[in-house]
C-alpha cells in the first residue's frame, strides 16, 4: 500500500470525537474550495484500507473514480468529514458494516460516505447542531488560499519523501503537480518525448490491468477492466495514462533535487 502519512496543516481532527468534528465544521474548508482533490482524498482511503485489512493497493482506475466522485458529489463536505466517515466505519458506529472483499472499490467508498451522510443528519438533530453553523467565516477566502498553499507544500514534501523511501520510479498521485512544475520550468519536455512516454506507460498499464483481470473473480470488474484494456489498444487518449505520464515527469524532476526545500523555492512556496 502507499505511504499514508500525508500531514495535515489543520487541527488534528483524527483524534477528535466525531461529534466534536460536527460541532466545529466552521473551522474546516469545504471540498468545493479546492481545485484538485485526488491528492487529499486518496491518502484517507489508503489509510482506511490498511487499517481495515485490505492488502491490495487501490488501483489507478479506482483512484480516478474516487477523486471524480468527491469533486462532483461531495462539494459541501470537508476532508475532515471524509476522515470521520471512514473512522466511524472502523469503529462500528453505523448500523451495518460494509464488506470490502479485500478490494477498495468506488462502490465501497460511496457506500461508506452514504452511511456517513445519514449518520451526520441524525447526530446533528440529536445534538441540536444547527445546519447553518457550517458556514465559513467572512475571512474564509484568505484562509482558504493560505490553506491551499500549506496543503500544496505538505503534499510536495510527502511525494518527495515517498520517492526516497519507496525507491519507486514515480508516485501516481504526483500528477496533480504537473502544471505547477511546467509553469515554473521544473519540467521541459517536447511533444515527441510526451508521445514516446505515453506509449511506454500505456504498455505498462495494459500489463498491470491484465494482471488485475487474472486476479479478480468479480465478473463486472473483470468486464470493466477488459473494456479499459481495449480502449487503450484502440489508441484512444486516456486520462489515467496521461496522469501517469505527468506523475513520471514530476517525479523525474523531483529526483534531480537533493532537498525538497530547493523544489519549494523554485515554485515560490518556501515555508
Amino acid at each position: 500500500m502507499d505511504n499514508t502519512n500525508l500531514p495535515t496543516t489543520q487541527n488534528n481532527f483524527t483524534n477528535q470525537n466525531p461529534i466534536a468534528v460536527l460541532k466545529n465544521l466552521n473551522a474546516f474548508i469545504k471540498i468545493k474550495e479546492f481545485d484538485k482533490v485526488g491528492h487529499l482524498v486518496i491518502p484517507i482511503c489508503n489509510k482506511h484500507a490498511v487499517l481495515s485489512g485490505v492488502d491490495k493497493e487501490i488501483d489507478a482506475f479506482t483512484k480516478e473514480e474516487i477523486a471524480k466522485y468527491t469533486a462532483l458529489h461531495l462539494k459541501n463536505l470537508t476532508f475532515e468529514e471524509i476522515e470521520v466517515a471512514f473512522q466511524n466505519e472502523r469503529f462500528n458506529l453505523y448500523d451495518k458494516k460494509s464488506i470490502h472483499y479485500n478490494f477498495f472499490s468506488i462502490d465501497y467508498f460511496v457506500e461508506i460516505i452514504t452511511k456517513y451522510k445519514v449518520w451526520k443528519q441524525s447526530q446533528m438533530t440529536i445534538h441540536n447542531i444547527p445546519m447553518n453553523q457550517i458556514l465559513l467565516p467572512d475571512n474564509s477566502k484568505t484562509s482558504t488560499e493560505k490553506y491551499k498553499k500549506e496543503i500544496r507544500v505538505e503534499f510536495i514534501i510527502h511525494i518527495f519523501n515517498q520517492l526516497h523511501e519507496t525507491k519507486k520510479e514515480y508516485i501516481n498521485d504526483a500528477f496533480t503537480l504537473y502544471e505547477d512544475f511546467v509553469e515554473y520550468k521544473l519540467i521541459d519536455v517536447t511533444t515527441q518525448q510526451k508521445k514516446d512516454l505515453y506509449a511506454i506507460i500505456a504498455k505498462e498499464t495494459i500489463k498491470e490491468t491484465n494482471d488485475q483481470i487474472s486476479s479478480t473473480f468479480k465478473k463486472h470488474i473483470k468486464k470493466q477492466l477488459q473494456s479499459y484494456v481495449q480502449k487503450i489498444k484502440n489508441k484512444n487518449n486516456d486520462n489515467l495514462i496521461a496522469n501517469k505520464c505527468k506523475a513520471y515527469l514530476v517525479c523525474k524532476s523531483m529526483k534531480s533535487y537533493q532537498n525538497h526545500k530547493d523544489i519549494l523555492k523554485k515554485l515560490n512556496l518556501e515555508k
Side-chain angles (χ1 to χ4, degrees):
M1 299 295 295
D2 289 343
N3 186 343
T4 59
N5 296 321
L6 178 61
T8 177
T9 54
Q10 289 223 30
N11 297 331
N12 191 9
F13 59 86
T14 55
N15 292 328
Q16 291 188 36
N17 183 296
I19 304 304
V21 173
L22 294 183
K23 289 181 178 180
N24 291 281
L25 286 178
N26 61 329
F28 308 124
I29 299 170
K30 289 185 179 180
I31 289 171
K32 66 183 178 182
E33 299 293 335
F34 295 89
D35 297 326
K36 296 175 181 177
V37 303
H39 68 289
L40 296 172
V41 69
I42 296 304
I44 296 174
C45 297
N46 284 337
K47 184 173 94 171
H48 175 76
V50 170
L51 294 175
S52 300
V54 178
D55 57 20
K56 292 182 180 178
E57 182 176 346
I58 303 173
D59 62 78
F61 184 84
T62 300
K63 286 181 179 179
E64 183 83 4
E65 290 288 284
I66 290 172
K68 188 185 300 182
Y69 179 84
T70 300
L72 291 176
H73 301 292
L74 305 180
K75 294 179 180 180
N76 291 316
L77 293 184
T78 68
F79 289 109
E80 290 77 8
E81 289 183 89
I82 293 180
E83 176 78 38
V84 168
F86 285 98
Q87 177 180 283
N88 285 355
E89 173 70 13
R90 295 193 299 274
F91 293 174
N92 290 317
L93 296 185
Y94 302 129
D95 293 336
K96 186 176 71 171
K97 192 85 169 176
S98 297
I99 304 175
H100 54 64
Y101 300 104
N102 199 32
F103 179 72
F104 196 109
S105 66
I106 181 62
D107 292 337
Y108 180 72
F109 178 85
V110 172
E111 184 176 330
I112 290 177
I113 294 299
T114 301
K115 289 195 296 185
Y116 167 76
K117 289 179 179 179
V118 174
W119 174 88
K120 174 184 176 181
Q121 187 173 15
S122 67
Q123 294 302 311
M124 292 189 83
T125 300
I126 292 170
H127 295 278
N128 196 29
I129 304 172
M131 289 298 294
N132 60 5
Q133 69 90 41
I134 66 175
L135 296 176
L136 292 171
D138 292 337
N139 65 348
S140 62
K141 185 174 181 180
T142 302
S143 299
T144 299
E145 290 306 315
K146 181 181 178 182
Y147 182 56
K148 284 181 180 179
K149 181 178 178 179
E150 290 174 342
I151 282 292
R152 209 66 171 160
V153 168
E154 298 297 350
F155 183 62
I156 290 168
I157 296 172
H158 169 69
I159 295 296
F160 185 86
N161 290 338
Q162 266 198 296
L163 282 172
H164 286 274
E165 290 169 6
T166 65
K167 307 299 181 185
K168 288 183 177 180
E169 194 170 20
Y170 63 95
I171 307 298
N172 285 329
D173 299 335
F175 78 89
T176 61
L177 299 170
Y178 178 78
E179 281 75 18
D180 290 345
F181 273 53
V182 170
E183 179 182 351
Y184 288 93
K185 303 189 186 319
L186 276 77
I187 291 176
D188 184 16
V189 60
T190 66
T191 300
Q192 187 58 50
Q193 287 172 327
K194 289 180 183 178
K195 289 180 179 179
D196 292 343
L197 178 59
Y198 187 95
I200 293 170
I201 298 294
K203 186 176 180 180
E204 290 178 356
T205 301
I206 289 175
K207 182 181 182 305
E208 290 170 359
T209 308
N210 282 331
D211 289 342
Q212 287 179 284
I213 292 171
S214 299
S215 64
T216 184
F217 296 101
K218 294 187 176 182
K219 291 183 179 179
H220 70 286
I221 294 175
K222 193 183 288 285
K223 186 176 180 180
Q224 190 178 44
L225 293 174
Q226 288 170 337
S227 175
Y228 179 57
V229 168
Q230 192 57 50
K231 176 186 174 183
I232 298 174
K233 288 182 176 179
N234 290 340
K235 297 186 178 180
N236 294 326
N237 289 333
D238 179 71
N239 284 336
L240 287 178
I241 295 176
N243 287 342
K244 285 184 178 182
C245 292
K246 290 177 180 179
Y248 174 86
L249 292 170
V250 168
C251 292
K252 181 181 178 181
S253 173
M254 279 192 170
K255 288 177 181 179
S256 67
Y257 294 88
Q258 293 185 340
N259 194 302
H260 68 261
K261 292 180 180 179
D262 296 329
I263 299 173
L264 296 177
K265 186 175 181 180
K266 289 277 189 179
L267 295 170
N268 290 332
L269 291 171
E270 296 100 327
K271 293 193 74 175

